[in-house]
Amino acid sequence: MDHSIGAVARLAGVSVKTVRYYSDQGLLASRRTAAGHRRYDGDAVARLELIRTLRALGIDLPTVRAVLEQERTLAEVVAAHAQALAVQIRTLQLHQAVLSVVTQRHSTPEELELMHDLTAQSDHERRALIADFLTAVLGDEPELAAVRQNLTPVLPDDADVRQVEAWLELATLTQDETFRASVRRMAVGYRALATDQPLRHDPEFRGRLIELRRTEADPRWPRYLELLAVVNGWAAPSRVAG
């Protein structure tokens, strides 16, 4: 059975112009009658529907041609396209997060540029940024490796907008020199107290910790821990009274 161009268009749910276009591109075979009219075989509708579906999914014409000519399998093409879409979706999520944060903070152009740069970083660059912060405020002693690890945010590949927003705020915070200085002072104070073993179980020890928290702890440090939990998908940290 063969069909006219109008019949093929109607059965596939597309316009005659579309059928003619794909025919001219060599994606849809046809023959000419003596009067010069196009005629299509029984497979044309299924072939056209496949073309239409692949194009609707954003797959380019050369790739569609490769599938139709069996140079590439449908599964291979779909898998590659799905992976490419995942990258595009992640990029759009990052852009959405940046715009959301900028809107909430009424950020300056300089802050916008910084946040854009932070979202464009690779995983290695993000880890290096946090490592630099933690080394600057805690030191690089091997015995603190576990502490630094526990304080390191790791933005997952499938991060949602909330995690990206948290990462942006946290990363921006780590670049603030006043925040770095306050965390450094707090760390120095805690380490000095920790070496005073006789006081560890003494009420005076707790009092000194409370005083240290009151005088040295930056209110942004609890926020860092909250953001860390969001980025890493952990339960929110509990607030310690003091």
Side-chain angles (χ1 to χ4, degrees), residues 8-15 18-19 22 27-28 44-59 61 64 68:
V8 169
R10 185 175 62 257
L11 291 169
V14 299
S15 67
T18 297
V19 179
Y22 288 139
L27 298 176
L28 202 60
V45 174
R47 190 177 178 92
L48 184 54
E49 288 176 339
L50 177 58
I51 295 171
R52 183 188 62 183
T53 301
L54 292 176
R55 292 293 290 148
L57 290 171
I59 296 176
L61 281 180
V64 171
L68 294 174

Side-chain angles (χ1 to χ4, degrees), residues 84-102:
L85 283 177
V87 173
Q88 293 177 29
I89 290 170
R90 176 168 169 75
T91 299
L92 289 174
Q93 287 179 327
L94 292 174
H95 291 170
Q96 180 186 8
V98 170
L99 294 174
S100 176
V101 173
V102 168

